[in-house]
């Protein structure tokens, strides 16, 4: 939150950015205090080259028995944390996360700043924002720490694996189904794993090195480039063809083809913008990483087999095919088969609507039943040739039935309206 949660409002607090010495000292002290309450306490590994810090982030899980009275409310832990941290104020908009304002350690402050600025405890009080997020399970705790490690490193890795149909978010690693994602991004995602070690192994990254901070952006870039999916097309950015990879920014990178969230990162995230503007062009110029090691199709097959989700993939694809066919069958097969020449538009609409009910919804009230199966019993998909044959053979018969039904409904409504009018006249 950048340390700005308490900077506004009727009684704002002054929370300046912290130099590394203050940050490390306060982080260690808060870690000790939070361990009195929770089984697991962690701060994600900081990104490289930060000269100051806006806040301190903690992820916590589990409660040590006997540390505090049993907390029955999802919001109850806020009181316990505020007490143990000695926080001046707190702010929360959800049960699992809360920001706390703690006093700046004045004795450390004077030691750090004595050569940079005149300051004394009598000056404007300073505070530090501490953000605490509670994770429900050991798995979510471990994943959350992993996902937040190294600052913006996941922006680099996310853009690297995206062209190969892989996506990582706050919950897990996924493979995307290409045909589905164009219409439904959520349905296109198949969960692979939320185990950090497994993810690093699959991406070809050194797990041991991951556990250590990076000294610089350049060191971070070199590590990200060891991902087996990292590829830089040796052609210039202007010559490269972006293809259909939804914002591919490595191998066939062009700035015009950045996704909207990538464009935002370019403006707000120096690590990401330098990666795009400096590191990748430099690799292209030197022909580094010019040998593409993977394809989207091959990555999909490997992911399905390695993580045992092929059945999930097949079921998802079949579900999508059924839904899409139901949407297109009406327009492209049923309506398209009914003649237009010499057929009254109203009658044609009656025939189409009746056939839709018979074919798509199995309505047998018309007394017109297909003489051959219109669906595959195993997949549930329609045999479009059979649907065309049925439509061609019965459109006029169904049209007559629906037209007659509609006419009868019209006459019945007309009679009912006349009856109501007569009753109103008698009352008058």
């Amino acid at each position: 939150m950048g340390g700005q949660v308490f900077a506004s409002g009727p009684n704002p607090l002054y929370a300046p950015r912290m130099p590394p010495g203050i940050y490390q000292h306060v982080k260690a002290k808060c870690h000790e205090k939070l361990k009195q309450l929770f089984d697991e306490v962690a701060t994600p590994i900081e990104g490289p080259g930060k000269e100051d810090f806006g806040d301190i982030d903690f992820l916590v899980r589990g409660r040590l028995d006997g540390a505090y009275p049993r907390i029955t409310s999802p919001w109850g832990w806020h009181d316990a944390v505020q007490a143990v941290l000695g926080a001046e104020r707190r702010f929360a908009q959800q049960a699992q996360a809360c920001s706390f304002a703690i006093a700046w350690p004045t004795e450390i402050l004077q030691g750090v700043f004595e050569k940079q600025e005149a300051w004394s405890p009598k000056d404007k009080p300073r505070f530090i924002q501490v953000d605490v997020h509670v994770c429900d399970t050991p798995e979510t705790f471990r994943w959350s720490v992993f996902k937040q490690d190294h600052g913006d490193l996941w922006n680099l890795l996310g853009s690297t694996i995206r062209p190969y149909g892989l996506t990582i978010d706050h919950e897990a690693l996924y493979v995307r189904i290409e045909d589905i994602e164009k219409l439904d991004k959520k349905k296109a995602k198949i969960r692979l794993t939320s185990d950090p070690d497994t993810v690093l192994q699959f991406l070809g990254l050194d797990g041991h090195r991951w556990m250590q901070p990076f000294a610089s952006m350049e060191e971070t870039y070199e590590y990200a480039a060891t991902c087996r999916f990292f590829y830089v097309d040796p052609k210039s950015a202007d010559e490269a063809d972006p293809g259909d990879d939804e914002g591919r920014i490595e191998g066939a990178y062009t700035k015009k083809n950045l996704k909207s969230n990538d464009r935002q990162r370019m403006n707000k995230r120096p690590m990401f913008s330098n990666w795009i503007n400096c590191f990748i062009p430099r690799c292209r110029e030197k022909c580094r990483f010019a040998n593409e090691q993977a394809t989207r199709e091959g990555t999909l097959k490997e992911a399905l087999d390695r993580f045992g989700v092929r059945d999930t993939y097949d079921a998802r694809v079949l579900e999508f095919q059924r839904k899409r066919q139901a949407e297109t069958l009406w327009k492209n097969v049923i309506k398209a088969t009914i003649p237009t020449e010499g057929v009254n538009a109203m009658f044609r609409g009656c025939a189409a609507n009746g056939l839709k009910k018979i074919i798509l919804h199995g309505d047998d009230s018309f007394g017109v039943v297909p003489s051959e199966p219109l669906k595959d019993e195993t997949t549930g998909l329609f045999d479009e040739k059979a649907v065309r044959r049925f439509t061609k053979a019965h459109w006029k018969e169904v049209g007559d039935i629906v037209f007659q039904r509609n006419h009868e409904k019209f006459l019945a409504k007309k009679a009912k309206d006349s009856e109501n009018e007569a009753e109103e006249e008698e009352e008058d």
Side-chain angles (χ1 to χ4, degrees):
M1 298 180 184
Q4 298 300 307
V5 166
F6 304 102
S8 60
N11 185 23
L13 299 178
Y14 179 45
R17 295 185 70 82
M18 297 167 280
I22 294 288
Y23 173 81
Q24 295 296 344
H25 174 82
V26 176
K27 182 178 75 170
K29 290 293 185 182
C30 290
H31 189 280
E32 291 177 6
K33 293 176 180 178
L34 291 171
K35 282 294 288 183
Q36 298 174 31
L37 302 177
F38 300 98
D39 294 308
E40 295 183 279
V41 178
T43 298
I45 300 170
E46 294 88 6
K50 294 193 72 171
E51 297 181 355
D52 52 33
F53 299 82
D55 54 25
I56 307 175
D57 295 316
F58 284 98
L59 293 159
V60 299
R61 187 206 66 82
R63 185 167 303 282
L64 293 175
D65 294 336
Y68 267 82
R70 177 175 174 80
I71 294 174
T72 57
S73 166
W75 297 76
W77 66 271
H78 297 174
D79 293 330
V81 171
Q82 183 169 4
V84 79
L85 293 180
E88 177 78 12
R89 196 177 299 174
R90 74 177 189 234
F91 176 80
Q93 291 183 314
Q94 54 179 308
Q96 288 188 293
C98 188
S99 296
F100 301 88
I102 65 173
W104 190 291
T106 55
E107 72 283 359
I108 297 298
L109 177 76
Q110 295 181 70
V112 171
F113 281 93
E114 59 185 359
K115 296 182 180 179
Q116 301 182 34
E117 61 175 291
W119 184 90
S120 74
K122 296 180 181 180
D123 291 336
K124 188 176 183 179
R126 301 181 179 216
F127 292 88
I128 294 170
Q129 180 180 315
V130 177
D131 295 332
V132 181
H133 184 96
V134 174
C135 300
D136 294 328
T137 66
E139 292 74 24
T140 57
F141 172 80
R142 190 168 178 233
W143 181 262
S144 296
V145 175
F146 172 65
K147 189 63 172 59
Q148 295 181 38
D149 277 344
H150 305 294
D152 293 332
L153 175 56
W154 273 116
N155 288 333
L156 316 183
L157 294 173
S159 66
T160 297
I161 65 178
R162 185 192 307 145
Y164 300 97
L166 298 172
T167 293
I168 195 159
D169 65 11
H170 64 284
E171 292 184 352
L173 173 70
Y174 304 81
V175 66
R176 306 188 313 273
I177 305 173
E178 188 169 10
D179 290 340
I180 299 179
E181 71 178 330
K182 298 172 183 176
L183 299 169
D184 190 331
K185 291 184 178 180
K186 186 176 180 180
K187 286 283 188 182
K189 291 166 58 177
I190 295 180
R191 185 185 179 106
L192 299 178
T193 181
S194 60
D195 178 70
D197 293 337
T198 304
V199 170
L200 292 175
Q201 186 180 38
F202 184 69
L203 300 184
L205 295 167
D206 185 337
H208 178 73
R209 181 65 189 88
W210 179 276
M211 300 305 297
Q212 310 302 318
F214 297 106
S216 65
M217 283 191 185
E218 194 66 23
E219 191 174 305
T220 308
Y221 297 156
E222 290 294 338
Y223 177 80
T226 64
C227 174
R228 68 189 179 100
F229 295 101
F230 184 68
Y231 161 64
V232 179
D233 194 311
K235 293 182 290 185
S236 72
D238 293 332
E239 295 173 347
D241 177 12
D244 296 322
D245 282 330
E246 194 185 320
R248 183 174 190 141
I249 61 174
E250 268 76 69
Y253 162 66
T254 62
K255 291 182 181 178
K256 294 180 180 179
N257 204 30
L258 285 174
K259 288 167 61 68
S260 60
N261 56 357
D262 287 332
R263 288 193 293 271
Q264 293 175 11
R265 293 186 186 111
M266 289 285 286
N267 296 327
K268 299 178 181 179
R269 302 292 188 178
M271 182 185 288
F272 186 74
S273 61
N274 288 335
W275 165 262
I276 297 300
N277 290 328
C278 301
F279 184 76
I280 289 177
R282 193 163 62 243
C283 289
R284 178 174 287 116
E285 182 181 349
K286 297 180 180 180
C287 288
R288 297 184 68 196
F289 312 107
N291 181 26
E292 189 168 17
Q293 303 179 56
T295 64
R296 179 161 187 172
E297 182 180 355
T299 301
L300 172 64
K301 183 179 184 303
E302 180 185 355
L304 297 180
D305 293 339
R306 182 166 182 169
F307 295 100
V309 292
R310 183 169 290 279
D311 288 346
T312 302
Y313 169 82
D314 291 340
R316 190 77 56 82
V317 169
L318 186 57
E319 177 189 4
F320 174 76
Q321 289 175 336
R322 288 172 183 159
K323 182 179 179 181
R324 286 293 295 158
Q325 189 183 53
E327 293 171 351
T328 60
L329 200 70
W330 158 246
K331 179 180 179 180
N332 298 338
V333 179
I334 298 174
K335 290 182 70 175
T337 303
I338 300 174
T340 56
E341 292 292 331
V343 180
N344 178 274
M346 183 179 293
F347 184 86
R348 190 170 184 273
C350 290
N353 288 325
L355 287 165
K356 181 180 181 180
K357 292 179 181 179
I358 296 171
I359 295 169
L360 297 181
H361 305 297
D363 189 340
D364 58 3
S365 65
F366 298 93
V368 181
V369 180
S371 60
E372 62 176 326
L374 301 183
K375 272 186 185 180
D376 183 281
E377 292 184 2
T378 303
T379 65
L381 293 172
F382 284 94
D383 180 340
E384 296 189 4
K385 292 182 179 179
V387 171
R388 283 194 179 90
R389 287 194 294 269
F390 177 77
T391 300
K392 189 174 182 179
H394 297 281
W395 69 268
K396 192 174 185 307
E397 178 184 3
V398 173
D400 286 334
I401 296 172
V402 176
F403 189 86
Q404 181 61 32
R405 285 185 178 182
N406 289 348
H407 183 64
E408 290 172 358
K409 289 179 182 178
F410 169 75
L411 294 178
K413 184 178 184 304
K414 187 176 181 180
K416 182 66 175 176
D417 291 343
S418 298
E419 181 181 337
N420 291 336
E421 289 176 3
E423 290 177 356
E424 291 176 0
E425 289 178 357
E426 290 180 1
E427 291 176 358
D428 293 340

